[in-house]
Amino acid sequence: MKRLIVIAAIVVLSVMGCSREEKTEKAEAKKAPPPKHAAVKEKTSYEIPEEDKTLIARINGAPIYKEDLGGERLGKLINMEILYIEGLRRGIDKSPKVKDLPEDRKKMKIIDTLKSDLMRTMPKPRDVTKEEAMKYYNENEAKYTNVIAKQIIVSDKTLAEEIRKKADAGGDLDNIAAEYAKAGKELTVNPKKVRKKEESIFAKLEVGAVSPVREKGEQFEILQISELRKKPFKQAYKAITRNITGKKNRAAAKKMLDRFVEENNISIEIIEEE
């Protein structure tokens, strides 16, 4: 069963910003009917017939088929159509650098030209204040903290679970390994920097926290956090300003795309299949 959902805007582009337009342009845009352009390329003899394609969306009534996405996300394609329609409204297609281009290149040139114009208005990392950066740093400590752990790897799962229980009860992996060494079992404790995507294996990011037993090929790993090493603010500063700027840009881009949809009276329909 299919159902239609009409939405105002889809996923925003990550690298665009708000543009400033004159009030006269806005007034003219509201009077003009929205242009209707196919969201995908025209059918050629070697393409799948439209009746055999899967309809996934419409923009101003023009269909978008799953088979024509070409590996792109639907949201990105819709954003490009919004920019294309806005570019036409601004007359970019009539500019000297665009009007004489072959038709198969003209559309992307219009989109790229508009994106370049919008980029000039976007927030820049240099605009982030030190106070903003420090606030972000304090609120996102985990991003700038490296987790250092002690690691034991054994070939027996039962032994691994036994070690984990001892460590989870408050034991230290170095001491646990020493106990087993006295009993004649060789266990080696190694330092390991835990990757960011692995940090979720710990219930809490605190010294002494123990991971579940994890299978590593034919062996089994136990980790215990030994140190939380916070990156100094000065070292993290550039990354922080980029993150703050990226967040501002995404918010600005969403607002801009919503405005383009409204001002151009663009109809967007997403068709979901249940």
Side-chain angles (χ1 to χ4, degrees), residues 12-16 122-125 128 136 238-254:
V12 300
L13 298 178
S14 61
V15 285
M16 294 189 305
M122 294 296 283
K124 305 293 189 297
V128 176
Y136 186 91
K238 285 186 178 180
I240 290 170
T241 56
R242 287 196 298 268
N243 285 336
I244 294 174
T245 303
K247 186 176 180 181
K248 289 181 178 180
N249 287 348
R250 287 189 291 274
K254 184 182 186 308

Side-chain angles (χ1 to χ4, degrees), residues 90-125:
R90 295 187 183 201
I92 295 176
D93 57 316
K94 299 177 178 63
S95 67
K97 293 182 178 180
V98 177
K99 66 179 182 179
D100 295 327
L101 287 174
E103 288 301 318
D104 60 343
R105 292 178 53 200
K106 190 175 290 186
K107 181 172 183 177
M108 281 310 303
K109 184 64 175 178
I110 291 170
I111 293 171
D112 289 342
T113 300
L114 177 57
K115 284 171 67 176
S116 295
D117 292 343
L118 297 172
M119 282 286 289
R120 297 188 186 98
T121 69
M122 294 296 283
K124 305 293 189 297

Side-chain angles (χ1 to χ4, degrees), residues 193-223:
K193 182 179 177 180
V194 181
R195 291 180 293 176
K196 285 295 177 185
K197 65 180 181 180
E198 288 185 301
E199 290 179 0
S200 60
I201 64 176
F202 298 99
K204 290 184 179 180
L205 289 182
E206 59 184 19
V207 174
V210 181
S211 74
V213 172
R214 297 200 299 167
E215 191 169 345
K216 296 285 186 177
E218 296 181 356
Q219 296 182 309
F220 301 90
E221 175 192 66
I222 309 99
L223 298 176

Side-chain angles (χ1 to χ4, degrees), residues 99-162:
K99 66 179 182 179
D100 295 327
L101 287 174
E103 288 301 318
D104 60 343
R105 292 178 53 200
K106 190 175 290 186
K107 181 172 183 177
M108 281 310 303
K109 184 64 175 178
I110 291 170
I111 293 171
D112 289 342
T113 300
L114 177 57
K115 284 171 67 176
S116 295
D117 292 343
L118 297 172
M119 282 286 289
R120 297 188 186 98
T121 69
M122 294 296 283
K124 305 293 189 297
R126 64 174 178 268
D127 300 326
V128 176
T129 66
K130 188 174 181 179
E131 290 72 23
E132 278 184 289
M134 180 60 76
K135 183 174 184 291
Y136 186 91
Y137 177 72
N138 291 330
E139 290 176 350
N140 297 273
E141 283 190 358
K143 286 185 178 180
Y144 307 104
T145 300
N146 292 323
V147 176
I148 311 301
K150 295 176 181 180
Q151 175 200 57
I152 285 183
I153 295 179
V154 296
S155 57
D156 183 276
K157 187 175 182 180
T158 301
L159 175 59
E161 290 290 356
E162 187 178 309

Side-chain angles (χ1 to χ4, degrees), residues 34-46:
K36 291 187 177 182
H37 298 277
V40 294
K41 59 186 178 181
E42 295 180 1
K43 186 174 75 173
T44 59
S45 59
Y46 57 85

Side-chain angles (χ1 to χ4, degrees), residues 6-10 82 257-258 261-262 266 268:
V6 182
I7 60 174
I10 315 295
I82 294 171
L257 287 172
D258 287 347
V261 168
E262 181 179 356
I266 300 173
I268 301 173

